[in-house]
Amino acid sequence: MDQIAVRAPAKINLALDIKGLQADGYHQLETIMQSVSLCDHIYLKKTNRGIKLTNSVPGLPEDNHNLAYRAAELIFNQYYRNGSIEIHIDKKIPVAAGLAGGSTDSAAVIKGINLLFGLGLDYPQLLELARAIGSDVPFCLKGGTAFAYGRGDQLVQLPDLKKTWLVLVTPPKEVLTAVVYQQYDLIKPELTIPMEDLKGIIKNGQNIYWNEGWNNVLEPVTAGLIGDITEIKEMLKEMGAIFTMMSGSGPTVFGVMPDREQAEQACQKWPRSTDSVFPVYTYKQDFRE
Ligand code: ATP
C-alpha cells in the first residue's frame, strides 16, 4: 500500500461552559463534542521528497502552519525518521468556523500515517501526538460523542448519540477565537449549564429533550460581535429547527432538525446566499482501541 484516503469529520459543541482560567493561561473548558458528517477528504501518498502539502482552498497554509503538515512532521520526528509524504486536503469544512477543521485534518493525518507506514502506534501514543498539536485534536482522533475538559484535550468518551439530522450555517464573517475569549473575560455571561445532567442524558441513552440546558457560554459573546448569529437562529427556527445553538467560538450555528427531509429542504430554501449551509447528521465514534 503506498497511498490511502482518510475522512476528517467536522465537530460541533452540543454544550460549552468555561469554569475559569488554568495556571497555564488556557480557559478551563467543559464541553460536549459531537462529530458530524461534513468531512474534509485527506489523501496521503508515500514519496521520497520530504513532506509536501496541497489543499483545495486558496490562501490556506501549505507549510508547517497547516495543522495537518505539523501532524506529519511530529509523527515522523518521533516514530519514522526521514519519512516522506504527499498530503492533499480536499477541504469541505469552512475554515475558522468553530468546526475544528484544522484539528480534524491533523487527527486524520496522524491516523493515516500510522496505517500507511505500518507504525502500529496504539491509542495512547496517538493521543500524545494529538495533544502536542492542539486542544481539539484528541477529540478528533475518535470522534463520536465525548465530554471534554481541561483545555478541551481531556476526554471522557460518551455513548453514540442516536442519529440526528442537523443543518449547519456558516456566515461569511471572521471571528477570531482569541478575540471571542478576550471578550468573554470582559463580559462573563451568566449562564447555567447543567453539564452533569446533560452527560447523564447521553450516558443513559435517553432521547434528548432540547431545552435551554444545552447552551454555549460563548454564544452571547460572539452574537454581540456579529449580528448574524441571532438572525440565523431565527431563520433556522422558521425552517423547522427544534433547537439552535452556536458551535465553539462560532460563527457556525447549527439547527437540530426533525428529520433528513426537513434538513435538506432548509438548505435548499436557505434565503441568505452568502452563507455556507450543510445538511449533516451525527457521526458515531469511528476508531476503537
Ligand atoms: P476550532 O473549532 O478548533 O476553534 P476552527 O474551526 O474555528 O477551529 P480552523 O478551521 O481549524 O478553525 O482554522 C483556524 C485557523 O487554523 C485558520 O486560520 C487556518 O489558517 C489555520 N489552519 C491550519 N491548518 C488548517 C487546516 N488544515 N484546515 C483549516 N485551517 C487550518
Side-chain angles (χ1 to χ4, degrees):
M1 180 168 71
D2 66 0
Q3 51 190 340
I4 189 172
V6 195
R7 252 184 347 203
K11 70 87 190 140
I12 56 172
N13 302 79
L14 300 179
L16 192 155
D17 202 2
I18 296 176
K19 305 309 269 185
L21 276 183
Q22 300 189 156
D24 58 10
Y26 278 99
H27 285 81
Q28 200 180 346
L29 297 185
E30 285 195 358
T31 177
I32 297 176
M33 298 172 113
Q34 173 65 51
S35 49
V36 293
S37 57
L38 174 65
C39 294
D40 287 346
H41 298 274
I42 316 283
Y43 301 92
L44 302 174
K45 193 173 166 195
K46 284 184 182 171
T47 61
N48 51 13
R49 292 185 298 275
I51 302 170
K52 190 170 182 309
L53 184 145
T54 53
N55 69 74
S56 59
V57 174
L60 204 65
E62 298 192 328
D63 56 10
N64 66 358
H65 291 98
N66 194 304
L67 295 184
Y69 189 107
R70 224 178 285 162
E73 221 172 30
L74 192 66
I75 195 167
F76 283 152
N77 276 344
Q78 291 198 22
Y79 296 106
Y80 198 84
R81 279 268 160 205
N82 302 320
S84 285
I85 195 147
E86 245 172 55
I87 305 169
H88 178 71
I89 308 177
D90 185 9
K91 282 244 38 112
K92 304 287 183 204
I93 305 172
V95 175
L99 298 172
S103 303
T104 190
D105 293 350
S106 169
V109 166
I110 294 175
K111 289 187 285 187
I113 289 183
N114 189 33
L115 283 175
L116 190 59
F117 289 82
L119 302 182
L121 303 180
D122 60 15
Y123 178 69
Q125 289 171 304
L126 299 180
L127 191 60
E128 198 188 317
L129 291 165
R131 285 213 174 101
I133 296 165
S135 306
D136 286 347
V137 188
F139 167 76
C140 296
L141 275 182
K142 279 190 181 176
T145 310
F147 172 65
Y149 62 100
R151 60 183 172 96
D153 62 338
Q154 303 296 319
L155 294 173
V156 179
Q157 200 69 30
L158 296 170
D160 292 322
L161 220 63
K162 197 178 96 190
K163 184 172 178 179
T164 303
W165 279 88
L166 311 144
V167 170
L168 304 184
V169 184
T170 311
K173 295 276 169 71
E174 197 178 342
V175 280
L176 294 174
T177 305
V179 171
V180 174
Y181 278 96
Q182 276 164 17
Q183 197 68 11
Y184 169 85
D185 288 335
L186 295 175
I187 304 173
K188 297 236 168 64
E190 296 235 347
L191 283 178
T192 309
I193 301 177
M195 199 60 79
E196 288 308 309
D197 294 349
L198 303 182
K199 283 194 291 183
I201 290 169
I202 297 177
K203 276 185 193 158
N204 297 328
Q206 288 159 255
N207 273 334
I208 294 182
Y209 176 57
W210 293 101
N211 60 12
E212 64 282 358
W214 300 89
N215 213 332
N216 176 351
V217 288
L218 297 176
E219 184 180 302
V221 180
T222 307
L225 297 171
I226 55 166
D228 305 57
I229 306 295
T230 313
E231 199 179 320
I232 290 169
K233 284 170 70 94
E234 286 308 317
M235 281 162 48
L236 277 167
K237 279 181 209 145
E238 279 166 27
M239 301 243 171
I242 303 164
F243 175 77
T244 62
M245 204 178 97
M246 187 185 80
S247 178
S249 55
T252 300
V253 173
F254 65 87
V256 179
M257 304 304 286
D259 53 36
R260 175 181 188 160
E261 203 187 344
Q262 291 196 58
E264 288 176 345
Q265 265 182 20
C267 294
Q268 280 156 15
K269 294 187 180 153
W270 192 255
R272 296 184 2 151
S273 60
T274 49
D275 295 335
S276 302
V277 190
F278 309 92
V280 300
Y281 55 89
T282 52
Y283 252 17
K284 291 182 187 327
Q285 179 184 338
D286 80 336
F287 178 94
R288 297 192 187 265
E289 286 163 68

